[in-house]
Amino acid sequence: MPVLVMKFGGTSVATLDRIKRAAKRVGVEVAKGYDVIVIVSAMSGKTNELVGWVNETSPMYDAREYDAVVSSGENVTAGLMALTLQEMDVPARSWQGWQVPVKTTSSHSAARIEEIPTENIMGRFEQGMRVAVVAGFQGVSPEGRITTLGRGGSDTTAVAFAAAFGAERCDIYTDVDGVYTTDPRICEKARKLDRIAFEEMLELASLGAKVLQTRSVELAMRYKVRLRVLSSFEEQSDEAGTLVCDEDEIMESNVVAGVAHSRDEAKMTLLSVADRPGIAATIFTALSDANVNVDMIVQNISEEGRTDMTFSCPTDQVARADKALAAAKADGVLNFSELVADTNVCKVSVVGIGMRSHTGVAAKMFRVLSDEAINIKVITTSEIKISVLIDRKYMELAVQALHDAFELDKAG
Ligand code: ADP
Ligand code: ASP
Ligand code: MG
Protein backbone atom coordinates (compact mmCIF):
# COMPACT_ATOMS: atom_id res chain seq x y z
CA MET A 1 0.00 0.00 0.00
CA PRO A 2 1.22 3.54 -0.63
CA VAL A 3 2.74 5.29 2.36
CA LEU A 4 1.86 8.80 3.50
CA VAL A 5 3.73 10.80 6.15
CA MET A 6 1.65 13.21 8.26
CA LYS A 7 3.39 15.46 10.79
CA PHE A 8 1.50 17.31 13.52
CA GLY A 9 3.21 20.28 15.18
CA GLY A 10 2.88 21.38 18.80
CA THR A 11 -0.33 23.40 18.51
CA SER A 12 -1.96 20.54 16.56
CA VAL A 13 -1.44 18.15 19.52
CA ALA A 14 -1.72 20.71 22.34
CA THR A 15 -4.74 19.06 24.02
CA LEU A 16 -6.45 15.67 24.02
CA ASP A 17 -9.21 17.18 21.87
CA ARG A 18 -6.71 18.36 19.30
CA ILE A 19 -5.02 14.96 19.26
CA LYS A 20 -8.47 13.50 18.54
CA ARG A 21 -9.00 15.95 15.70
CA ALA A 22 -5.58 15.09 14.24
CA ALA A 23 -6.29 11.37 14.62
CA LYS A 24 -9.51 11.83 12.63
CA ARG A 25 -7.47 13.39 9.79
CA VAL A 26 -5.21 10.34 9.91
CA GLY A 27 -8.28 8.08 9.83
CA VAL A 28 -9.43 9.77 6.60
CA GLU A 29 -6.13 8.93 4.88
CA VAL A 30 -6.17 5.35 6.21
CA ALA A 31 -9.68 4.94 4.77
CA LYS A 32 -8.31 6.08 1.39
CA GLY A 33 -5.92 3.12 1.50
CA TYR A 34 -2.69 4.66 2.77
CA ASP A 35 -0.41 3.16 5.37
CA VAL A 36 0.40 6.24 7.42
CA ILE A 37 3.47 7.28 9.36
CA VAL A 38 2.46 9.98 11.82
CA ILE A 39 5.23 12.16 13.24
CA VAL A 40 4.30 14.12 16.34
CA SER A 41 5.82 17.09 18.14
CA ALA A 42 5.50 17.68 21.85
CA MET A 43 2.39 19.54 23.07
CA SER A 44 2.92 23.25 22.39
CA GLY A 45 4.97 24.95 25.09
CA LYS A 46 6.26 21.62 26.43
CA THR A 47 9.71 21.72 24.80
CA ASN A 48 10.24 25.30 26.03
CA GLU A 49 9.31 24.22 29.54
CA LEU A 50 11.75 21.29 29.41
CA VAL A 51 14.56 23.50 28.06
CA GLY A 52 13.82 25.95 30.90
CA TRP A 53 14.10 23.20 33.49
CA VAL A 54 17.47 22.10 32.10
CA ASN A 55 18.83 25.67 32.12
CA GLU A 56 17.62 26.25 35.66
CA THR A 57 19.20 23.02 36.89
CA SER A 58 22.50 23.38 35.09
CA PRO A 59 23.41 26.52 33.07
CA MET A 60 26.50 24.85 31.53
CA TYR A 61 24.59 21.61 31.02
CA ASP A 62 25.82 18.30 29.66
CA ALA A 63 24.23 18.13 26.19
CA ARG A 64 23.53 14.39 26.53
CA GLU A 65 21.31 15.03 29.52
CA TYR A 66 19.71 18.04 27.80
CA ASP A 67 18.64 15.64 25.03
CA ALA A 68 17.42 13.06 27.54
CA VAL A 69 15.13 15.68 29.05
CA VAL A 70 13.91 17.70 26.05
CA SER A 71 13.17 14.65 23.87
CA SER A 72 10.59 13.45 26.39
CA GLY A 73 7.73 15.74 25.26
CA GLU A 74 7.36 13.82 22.00
CA ASN A 75 7.16 10.46 23.82
CA VAL A 76 3.96 11.56 25.52
CA THR A 77 2.19 12.71 22.36
CA ALA A 78 3.29 9.62 20.38
CA GLY A 79 1.73 7.29 22.95
CA LEU A 80 -1.43 9.41 23.24
CA MET A 81 -1.84 9.55 19.46
CA ALA A 82 -1.50 5.76 19.16
CA LEU A 83 -4.07 5.27 21.94
CA THR A 84 -6.48 7.74 20.31
CA LEU A 85 -6.20 5.90 16.98
CA GLN A 86 -6.76 2.55 18.69
CA GLU A 87 -9.92 3.99 20.30
CA MET A 88 -11.09 4.74 16.75
CA ASP A 89 -10.39 1.10 15.77
CA VAL A 90 -7.42 2.09 13.62
CA PRO A 91 -4.55 -0.38 14.17
CA ALA A 92 -1.72 1.85 15.43
CA ARG A 93 1.50 1.56 17.41
CA SER A 94 3.96 4.19 18.71
CA TRP A 95 7.73 4.28 18.33
CA GLN A 96 10.33 6.38 20.09
CA GLY A 97 13.34 7.36 17.99
CA TRP A 98 15.66 4.69 19.41
CA GLN A 99 13.12 1.93 18.74
CA VAL A 100 12.95 2.51 14.97
CA PRO A 101 15.93 3.25 15.24
CA VAL A 102 16.43 6.78 13.87
CA LYS A 103 20.23 6.69 13.67
CA THR A 104 21.86 10.10 14.06
CA THR A 105 25.26 11.68 14.58
CA SER A 106 26.31 12.29 18.15
CA SER A 107 26.18 16.12 18.03
CA HIS A 108 23.73 16.40 20.88
CA SER A 109 20.95 19.03 20.56
CA ALA A 110 21.80 19.47 16.87
CA ALA A 111 22.14 15.90 15.61
CA ARG A 112 21.71 14.95 11.96
CA ILE A 113 19.81 11.89 10.82
CA GLU A 114 22.10 9.38 9.10
CA GLU A 115 19.86 6.39 8.52
CA ILE A 116 16.33 5.15 9.13
CA PRO A 117 16.01 1.38 8.67
CA THR A 118 12.50 0.62 7.38
CA GLU A 119 12.22 -3.13 8.12
CA ASN A 120 10.77 -2.80 11.58
CA ILE A 121 7.84 -0.58 10.65
CA MET A 122 7.35 -2.09 7.18
CA GLY A 123 7.09 -5.54 8.76
CA ARG A 124 4.30 -4.26 11.00
CA PHE A 125 2.46 -2.67 8.07
CA GLU A 126 2.61 -6.05 6.32
CA GLN A 127 1.00 -7.65 9.36
CA GLY A 128 -1.96 -5.26 9.20
CA MET A 129 -0.92 -2.32 11.32
CA ARG A 130 -2.08 0.84 9.51
CA VAL A 131 -0.46 3.68 11.41
CA ALA A 132 3.04 3.99 12.87
CA VAL A 133 3.20 6.94 15.24
CA VAL A 134 6.77 8.13 15.64
CA ALA A 135 8.05 10.63 18.19
CA GLY A 136 9.59 13.47 16.17
CA PHE A 137 12.74 15.48 16.96
CA GLN A 138 14.68 12.55 18.44
CA GLY A 139 17.06 9.77 17.48
CA VAL A 140 19.87 7.68 18.85
CA SER A 141 23.63 8.26 18.54
CA PRO A 142 26.22 5.61 17.58
CA GLU A 143 27.03 5.48 21.30
CA GLY A 144 23.42 4.50 22.00
CA ARG A 145 22.36 7.76 23.65
CA ILE A 146 19.20 9.74 22.85
CA THR A 147 19.81 12.74 20.58
CA THR A 148 17.64 15.64 19.40
CA LEU A 149 17.65 17.36 16.04
CA GLY A 150 17.50 21.06 17.00
CA ARG A 151 14.39 23.19 17.53
CA GLY A 152 11.71 22.53 14.97
CA GLY A 153 13.33 19.14 14.31
CA SER A 154 10.11 17.15 13.93
CA ASP A 155 9.76 18.63 10.43
CA THR A 156 13.07 16.98 9.58
CA THR A 157 12.00 13.68 11.15
CA ALA A 158 8.92 13.78 8.90
CA VAL A 159 10.81 14.45 5.67
CA ALA A 160 13.48 11.88 6.52
CA PHE A 161 10.78 9.22 7.03
CA ALA A 162 9.09 10.23 3.77
CA ALA A 163 12.42 9.79 1.95
CA ALA A 164 13.28 6.48 3.65
CA PHE A 165 9.84 4.93 3.04
CA GLY A 166 9.34 6.39 -0.45
CA ALA A 167 6.17 8.10 0.77
CA GLU A 168 3.80 9.55 -1.80
CA ARG A 169 3.81 12.85 0.11
CA CYS A 170 4.89 14.44 3.36
CA ASP A 171 2.13 16.60 4.86
CA ILE A 172 3.15 19.06 7.58
CA TYR A 173 0.10 20.05 9.62
CA THR A 174 0.60 23.28 11.54
CA ASP A 175 -1.22 26.33 12.94
CA VAL A 176 -1.24 28.31 9.68
CA ASP A 177 -2.78 27.06 6.44
CA GLY A 178 0.41 27.16 4.39
CA VAL A 179 3.57 29.07 3.62
CA TYR A 180 2.93 32.81 3.34
CA THR A 181 4.81 35.64 1.64
CA THR A 182 5.90 36.58 5.17
CA ASP A 183 5.00 35.59 8.73
CA PRO A 184 1.21 36.19 8.85
CA ARG A 185 1.56 36.98 12.56
CA ILE A 186 3.49 40.16 11.90
CA CYS A 187 2.05 41.29 8.58
CA GLU A 188 -1.68 41.08 8.06
CA LYS A 189 -1.35 41.51 4.30
CA ALA A 190 0.76 38.32 4.05
CA ARG A 191 -0.57 36.12 1.24
CA LYS A 192 -0.68 32.34 1.22
CA LEU A 193 1.33 30.79 -1.60
CA ASP A 194 -0.11 27.77 -3.45
CA ARG A 195 3.40 26.69 -4.40
CA ILE A 196 6.91 27.69 -3.46
CA ALA A 197 10.23 26.52 -4.94
CA PHE A 198 12.53 24.40 -2.73
CA GLU A 199 15.32 26.94 -3.05
CA GLU A 200 13.15 29.85 -1.95
CA MET A 201 11.75 27.85 0.97
CA LEU A 202 15.28 26.85 1.95
CA GLU A 203 16.38 30.50 2.07
CA LEU A 204 13.23 31.65 3.90
CA ALA A 205 13.63 28.88 6.48
CA SER A 206 17.31 29.53 7.07
CA LEU A 207 16.62 33.28 7.34
CA GLY A 208 14.09 32.79 10.13
CA ALA A 209 10.71 31.65 8.72
CA LYS A 210 10.18 28.90 11.27
CA VAL A 211 7.24 27.28 9.48
CA LEU A 212 9.69 24.56 8.33
CA GLN A 213 13.05 23.61 9.82
CA THR A 214 15.80 24.38 7.28
CA ARG A 215 17.19 20.87 7.33
CA SER A 216 13.77 19.43 6.42
CA VAL A 217 13.69 21.53 3.24
CA GLU A 218 17.25 20.49 2.40
CA LEU A 219 16.30 16.81 2.71
CA ALA A 220 13.09 17.24 0.71
CA MET A 221 15.05 18.92 -2.07
CA ARG A 222 17.74 16.26 -2.12
CA TYR A 223 15.39 13.26 -2.01
CA LYS A 224 12.60 14.81 -4.11
CA VAL A 225 10.00 14.49 -1.39
CA ARG A 226 6.65 16.14 -2.20
CA LEU A 227 6.30 18.41 0.78
CA ARG A 228 3.05 20.13 1.70
CA VAL A 229 2.31 22.57 4.54
CA LEU A 230 -1.30 22.82 5.69
CA SER A 231 -3.53 23.61 8.64
CA SER A 232 -4.73 20.99 11.08
CA PHE A 233 -7.62 23.26 12.04
CA GLU A 234 -9.47 23.39 8.75
CA GLU A 235 -11.26 20.88 6.57
CA GLN A 236 -8.78 19.78 3.92
CA SER A 237 -8.92 18.94 0.25
CA ASP A 238 -6.07 17.41 -1.75
CA GLU A 239 -5.24 20.88 -3.06
CA ALA A 240 -5.05 22.59 0.34
CA GLY A 241 -2.04 24.33 1.78
CA THR A 242 1.26 25.08 0.07
CA LEU A 243 3.25 22.63 -2.02
CA VAL A 244 7.03 23.00 -1.78
CA CYS A 245 8.25 21.82 -5.18
CA ASP A 246 10.74 22.23 -8.01
CA GLU A 247 11.05 25.61 -9.66
CA ASP A 248 9.78 24.28 -13.00
CA GLU A 249 6.47 23.22 -11.42
CA ILE A 250 5.66 26.87 -10.73
CA MET A 251 4.05 28.85 -13.54
CA GLU A 252 4.18 32.40 -12.27
CA SER A 253 6.02 34.06 -9.46
CA ASN A 254 7.09 37.47 -8.19
CA VAL A 255 10.73 38.56 -8.38
CA VAL A 256 10.65 38.61 -4.58
CA ALA A 257 8.78 35.58 -3.22
CA GLY A 258 8.89 36.46 0.45
CA VAL A 259 10.25 38.43 3.37
CA ALA A 260 11.82 36.67 6.37
CA HIS A 261 12.88 37.95 9.74
CA SER A 262 15.05 36.68 12.53
CA ARG A 263 14.55 38.45 15.84
CA ASP A 264 17.37 37.35 18.07
CA GLU A 265 20.53 38.45 16.33
CA ALA A 266 23.57 40.14 17.81
CA LYS A 267 26.15 42.33 16.11
CA MET A 268 29.66 41.92 17.48
CA THR A 269 32.55 44.21 16.59
CA LEU A 270 36.19 43.58 17.35
CA LEU A 271 37.90 46.96 17.47
CA SER A 272 41.43 47.49 16.24
CA VAL A 273 42.62 44.08 15.11
CA ALA A 274 45.81 43.78 13.07
CA ASP A 275 45.19 43.86 9.31
CA ARG A 276 47.42 41.02 8.13
CA PRO A 277 47.05 37.52 6.69
CA GLY A 278 45.70 34.96 9.15
CA ILE A 279 43.72 37.27 11.41
CA ALA A 280 40.30 36.35 10.05
CA ALA A 281 41.29 32.68 10.23
CA THR A 282 42.30 33.09 13.88
CA ILE A 283 39.09 34.89 14.86
CA PHE A 284 36.70 32.56 13.10
CA THR A 285 38.52 29.39 14.12
CA ALA A 286 38.19 30.46 17.77
CA LEU A 287 34.47 31.11 17.23
CA SER A 288 33.89 27.88 15.39
CA ASP A 289 35.73 25.85 18.06
CA ALA A 290 33.31 27.41 20.57
CA ASN A 291 30.32 26.36 18.40
CA VAL A 292 29.31 29.93 17.60
CA ASN A 293 27.19 30.12 14.45
CA VAL A 294 28.56 33.16 12.68
CA ASP A 295 26.28 34.57 10.01
CA MET A 296 27.28 37.93 8.49
CA ILE A 297 30.89 39.16 8.39
CA VAL A 298 32.19 42.61 7.51
CA GLN A 299 35.75 43.88 7.65
CA ASN A 300 36.24 47.63 7.66
CA ILE A 301 38.83 49.61 5.72
CA SER A 302 42.07 49.56 7.66
CA GLU A 303 44.04 52.49 8.91
CA GLU A 304 47.69 52.21 9.92
CA GLY A 305 47.57 48.44 9.76
CA ARG A 306 44.60 48.13 12.14
CA THR A 307 40.99 47.35 11.23
CA ASP A 308 37.60 46.56 12.79
CA MET A 309 35.93 43.23 12.19
CA THR A 310 32.14 42.86 12.58
CA PHE A 311 30.14 39.63 12.63
CA SER A 312 26.65 38.57 13.64
CA CYS A 313 25.50 35.54 15.63
CA PRO A 314 22.40 34.49 17.60
CA THR A 315 21.99 36.48 20.86
CA ASP A 316 22.17 33.36 23.02
CA GLN A 317 25.69 32.69 21.71
CA VAL A 318 27.11 36.12 22.62
CA ALA A 319 28.51 34.94 25.96
CA ARG A 320 30.24 32.00 24.29
CA ALA A 321 31.71 34.24 21.56
CA ASP A 322 32.90 36.71 24.18
CA LYS A 323 34.61 33.97 26.15
CA ALA A 324 36.27 32.40 23.09
CA LEU A 325 37.69 35.70 21.84
CA ALA A 326 38.83 36.79 25.31
CA ALA A 327 40.64 33.45 25.63
CA ALA A 328 42.35 33.93 22.26
CA LYS A 329 43.46 37.38 23.42
CA ALA A 330 44.74 36.02 26.73
CA ASP A 331 46.66 33.29 24.87
CA GLY A 332 48.33 35.97 22.77
CA VAL A 333 47.09 34.59 19.42
CA LEU A 334 44.76 37.55 18.84
CA ASN A 335 45.10 41.22 19.65
CA PHE A 336 42.18 43.67 19.73
CA SER A 337 41.31 46.69 21.84
CA GLU A 338 37.65 45.94 22.58
CA LEU A 339 34.74 43.64 21.71
CA VAL A 340 31.50 45.61 21.36
CA ALA A 341 28.25 43.62 21.39
CA ASP A 342 24.96 45.07 20.13
CA THR A 343 22.25 42.64 21.18
CA ASN A 344 19.33 44.78 20.00
CA VAL A 345 19.41 43.97 16.32
CA CYS A 346 17.40 41.73 14.01
CA LYS A 347 17.79 40.48 10.48
CA VAL A 348 15.27 41.14 7.72
CA SER A 349 15.67 39.50 4.32
CA VAL A 350 13.98 39.45 0.94
CA VAL A 351 14.12 36.19 -1.02
CA GLY A 352 13.27 35.25 -4.59
CA ILE A 353 14.70 33.20 -7.45
CA GLY A 354 13.61 36.02 -9.77
CA MET A 355 16.55 38.05 -8.40
CA ARG A 356 18.89 35.97 -10.53
CA SER A 357 17.59 37.72 -13.63
CA HIS A 358 16.27 41.03 -12.27
CA THR A 359 18.36 43.96 -11.13
CA GLY A 360 17.32 46.72 -8.77
CA VAL A 361 15.98 44.64 -5.89
CA ALA A 362 18.75 45.76 -3.51
CA ALA A 363 18.36 49.41 -4.50
CA LYS A 364 14.62 49.23 -3.90
CA MET A 365 15.03 47.45 -0.56
CA PHE A 366 17.50 50.05 0.73
CA ARG A 367 15.29 52.93 -0.52
CA VAL A 368 12.24 51.50 1.29
CA LEU A 369 14.19 51.23 4.56
CA SER A 370 15.60 54.71 4.17
CA ASP A 371 12.10 56.13 3.55
CA GLU A 372 11.14 54.67 6.94
CA ALA A 373 14.30 56.21 8.47
CA ILE A 374 15.64 52.76 9.33
CA ASN A 375 19.42 52.59 9.51
CA ILE A 376 21.10 49.54 7.94
CA LYS A 377 23.98 48.18 10.04
CA VAL A 378 25.20 45.24 7.96
CA ILE A 379 24.24 43.92 4.52
CA THR A 380 24.80 40.51 2.93
CA THR A 381 23.60 39.15 -0.37
CA SER A 382 23.51 35.89 -2.27
CA GLU A 383 22.13 35.06 -5.69
CA ILE A 384 18.54 34.88 -4.44
CA LYS A 385 18.45 36.91 -1.20
CA ILE A 386 19.41 40.20 0.40
CA SER A 387 19.65 40.47 4.18
CA VAL A 388 20.11 43.50 6.40
CA LEU A 389 20.80 43.87 10.09
CA ILE A 390 18.72 46.68 11.64
CA ASP A 391 17.57 47.77 15.11
CA ARG A 392 15.12 45.22 16.50
CA LYS A 393 12.49 47.86 17.28
CA TYR A 394 12.00 48.42 13.54
CA MET A 395 11.52 44.75 12.66
CA GLU A 396 7.75 44.74 12.10
CA LEU A 397 7.85 48.09 10.33
CA ALA A 398 10.59 46.91 7.96
CA VAL A 399 8.82 43.65 7.13
CA GLN A 400 5.53 45.43 6.44
CA ALA A 401 7.12 48.21 4.38
CA LEU A 402 9.06 45.72 2.23
CA HIS A 403 5.98 43.52 1.79
CA ASP A 404 4.08 46.59 0.53
CA ALA A 405 6.85 47.90 -1.68
CA PHE A 406 7.39 44.57 -3.47
CA GLU A 407 3.60 44.15 -3.73
CA LEU A 408 3.68 40.68 -2.25
CA ASP A 409 -0.03 40.82 -1.45
CA LYS A 410 -0.61 40.44 -5.20
CA ALA A 411 0.20 37.27 -7.15
CA GLY A 412 2.93 37.68 -9.79
P1 ADP B 1 4.59 23.80 14.55
O1 ADP B 1 4.47 23.82 16.03
O2 ADP B 1 3.36 23.29 13.86
O3 ADP B 1 5.85 23.17 14.05
P2 ADP B 1 5.80 26.42 14.17
O4 ADP B 1 5.44 27.41 15.21
O5 ADP B 1 7.12 25.77 14.25
O6 ADP B 1 4.62 25.34 14.10
O7 ADP B 1 5.68 27.09 12.72
C1 ADP B 1 4.50 27.75 12.32
C2 ADP B 1 4.66 29.26 12.51
O8 ADP B 1 5.63 29.75 11.58
C3 ADP B 1 3.44 30.06 12.19
O9 ADP B 1 2.57 30.15 13.29
C4 ADP B 1 4.00 31.43 11.78
O10 ADP B 1 3.92 32.38 12.82
C5 ADP B 1 5.47 31.15 11.52
N1 ADP B 1 5.91 31.65 10.20
C6 ADP B 1 7.02 32.42 9.99
N2 ADP B 1 7.15 32.72 8.71
C7 ADP B 1 6.12 32.15 8.05
C8 ADP B 1 5.71 32.12 6.68
N3 ADP B 1 6.42 32.73 5.70
N4 ADP B 1 4.59 31.43 6.35
C9 ADP B 1 3.87 30.80 7.32
N5 ADP B 1 4.21 30.80 8.63
C10 ADP B 1 5.31 31.46 9.01
N1 ASP C 1 9.17 19.94 20.01
C1 ASP C 1 10.36 20.34 19.31
C2 ASP C 1 10.53 21.85 19.33
O1 ASP C 1 9.70 22.57 19.81
C3 ASP C 1 10.42 19.83 17.91
C4 ASP C 1 9.30 20.27 17.02
O2 ASP C 1 8.21 20.58 17.49
O3 ASP C 1 9.50 20.30 15.81
O4 ASP C 1 11.52 22.35 18.84
MG1 MG D 1 7.87 23.85 13.90
Side-chain angles (χ1 to χ4, degrees), residues 5-77:
V5 171
M6 302 172 77
K7 179 253 171 177
F8 293 93
T11 41
S12 312
V13 293
T15 61
L16 297 185
D17 270 346
R18 289 195 185 168
I19 292 178
K20 235 183 240 167
R21 184 198 282 253
K24 279 194 193 134
R25 284 282 325 145
V26 176
V28 170
E29 302 297 346
V30 169
K32 286 186 199 163
Y34 287 107
D35 281 339
V36 181
I37 299 174
V38 173
I39 309 292
V40 287
S41 287
M43 289 178 170
S44 73
K46 192 69 207 174
T47 310
N48 284 343
E49 182 182 45
L50 296 169
V51 170
W53 287 348
V54 170
N55 282 321
E56 212 178 308
T57 310
S58 169
M60 299 298 280
Y61 55 73
D62 175 333
R64 285 162 294 199
E65 302 310 338
Y66 168 97
D67 279 352
V69 176
V70 303
S71 62
S72 65
E74 274 72 10
N75 298 344
V76 175
T77 43

Side-chain angles (χ1 to χ4, degrees), residues 7 41 152 155 174 210-213:
K7 179 253 171 177
S41 287
D155 298 331
T174 182
K210 70 166 184 168
V211 61
L212 287 173
Q213 197 196 34

Side-chain angles (χ1 to χ4, degrees), residues 7-12 41-42 44 151-152 154-155 172-186 190-193 196 201 204 208-213 229-230 232 242 258-261:
K7 179 253 171 177
F8 293 93
T11 41
S12 312
S41 287
S44 73
R151 300 306 305 270
S154 297
D155 298 331
I172 306 282
Y173 286 86
T174 182
D175 57 358
V176 282
D177 60 351
V179 177
Y180 280 69
T181 47
T182 193
D183 188 345
R185 295 190 200 286
I186 73 165
R191 177 173 54 90
K192 198 199 76 156
L193 299 163
I196 185 164
M201 191 63 241
L204 286 174
K210 70 166 184 168
V211 61
L212 287 173
Q213 197 196 34
V229 177
L230 67 176
S232 64
T242 301
V259 182
H261 63 85

Side-chain angles (χ1 to χ4, degrees), residues 347-378:
K347 183 170 63 176
V348 174
S349 315
V350 298
V351 171
I353 43 186
M355 279 185 218
R356 285 189 198 130
S357 49
H358 282 72
T359 55
V361 176
K364 185 164 174 177
M365 178 180 192
F366 303 154
R367 169 64 49 208
V368 170
L369 296 174
S370 120
D371 287 348
E372 299 293 342
I374 299 172
N375 189 34
I376 301 171
K377 301 184 169 217
V378 181

